[in-house]
Amino acid sequence: MKFHFKGIYKGKEHELDYLDEYYIKEHKPNAIEIPKRKKFFELKCELLSCAHVFLFSFILCLRYPLVTSFADLYFFLIILTFFCLLSIILLPVHEILHTIFNKQDSFFYLYPKHFCAFVMNIEEKTKFKKILGFLLPSVILGIIPFIIAIIFPQLKFLGFFAIPNIAWGSGDYMDTFHFLRYVPNGARIYSHKDGIYWYKPE
């Protein structure tokens, strides 16, 4: 598997036409289409990201007396902003972690319009591997460091590192819920030019 940087995505699907050669051409027996994302998906992701920042910042402040005055709040926001900028630099790492279970080539895009990045890989996977691929970056870069920060006071700086990396996974959490809702256990998922489908192997 190779990881390719494809540059900036401008929100136009024709920019992804090269993926046509990777799509499965013939449908699997009894395949069922997974409903497409609903409207305002990107806006919902951005709002969910903000909610994660506030929630996990609040938890960190409950665990440690980081904000006891306006001066502390100002300092807290400066540190959090620094780690948010650092997490942007680490976005390629986030996307590479999405591809750990991929066998075919993966294609990385920056999407400045929605302040995010994404990786394209449309090979067939089990439901378990698909969801694990969604969640792995947030677990490794976000959840695990945040738990360590909560447990060990001397490592509380990891909490600042973890917060934006948890927030970046908002779209992944929504996709995970989508697949949990519409795809049964034991199914396999594949991409077709008409959409994304699941089927049960015989």
Side-chain angles (χ1 to χ4, degrees):
M1 186 273 288
K2 292 182 179 179
F3 190 79
H4 305 274
F5 177 66
K6 299 291 287 185
I8 294 176
Y9 178 65
K10 298 179 181 178
K12 299 180 179 179
E13 292 191 7
H14 69 78
E15 297 177 74
L16 307 176
D17 287 347
Y18 69 92
L19 289 172
D20 290 349
E21 62 183 278
Y22 292 89
Y23 290 118
I24 290 178
K25 308 304 180 187
E26 301 294 332
H27 280 299
K28 303 290 184 178
N30 303 313
I32 297 176
E33 184 177 10
I34 300 172
K36 293 179 172 61
R37 293 169 172 174
K38 295 181 180 180
K39 292 181 179 180
F40 306 115
F41 176 83
E42 290 84 1
L43 176 60
K44 291 176 182 177
C45 289
E46 291 163 8
L47 293 174
L48 188 58
S49 292
C50 293
H52 281 127
V53 171
F54 283 113
L55 173 62
F56 285 92
S57 294
F58 180 70
I59 294 173
L60 192 64
C61 289
L62 279 181
R63 176 66 177 87
Y64 303 108
L66 298 174
V67 179
T68 58
S69 66
F70 282 111
D72 288 344
L73 178 60
Y74 184 71
F75 187 61
F76 181 92
L77 292 175
I78 290 176
I79 296 176
L80 186 59
T81 299
F82 169 79
F83 278 99
C84 285
L85 294 174
L86 178 62
S87 71
I88 293 174
I89 296 173
L90 291 177
L91 272 178
V93 177
H94 177 108
E95 299 304 327
I96 288 171
L97 288 171
H98 278 309
T99 70
I100 283 180
F101 302 107
N102 296 346
K103 296 179 181 178
Q104 297 180 3
D105 290 4
S106 299
F107 306 91
F108 172 75
Y109 282 91
L110 294 173
Y111 195 5
K113 183 179 178 180
H114 291 284
F115 305 100
C116 67
F118 64 91
V119 64
M120 294 295 298
N121 177 278
I122 55 179
E123 66 190 76
E124 182 178 317
K125 292 187 181 75
T126 64
K127 175 185 175 181
F128 175 76
K129 282 190 175 181
K130 193 78 172 177
I131 290 175
L132 191 59
F134 284 145
L135 297 179
L136 193 61
S138 296
V139 170
I140 292 178
L141 298 176
I143 300 298
I144 291 176
F146 193 81
I147 291 173
I148 292 173
I150 293 298
I151 295 174
F152 302 103
Q154 64 273 28
L155 297 176
K156 60 178 174 288
F157 71 91
L158 286 177
F160 290 98
F161 173 81
I163 289 170
N165 284 297
I166 293 172
W168 281 126
S170 296
D172 302 324
Y173 311 145
M174 292 179 65
D175 282 334
T176 296
F177 176 77
H178 194 68
F179 279 77
L180 286 172
R181 180 180 180 183
Y182 291 109
V183 181
N185 293 331
R188 296 186 67 87
I189 299 163
Y190 69 90
S191 295
H192 187 271
K193 65 179 180 179
D194 298 324
I196 302 175
Y197 291 77
W198 67 265
Y199 74 99
K200 281 286 191 75
E202 296 180 359

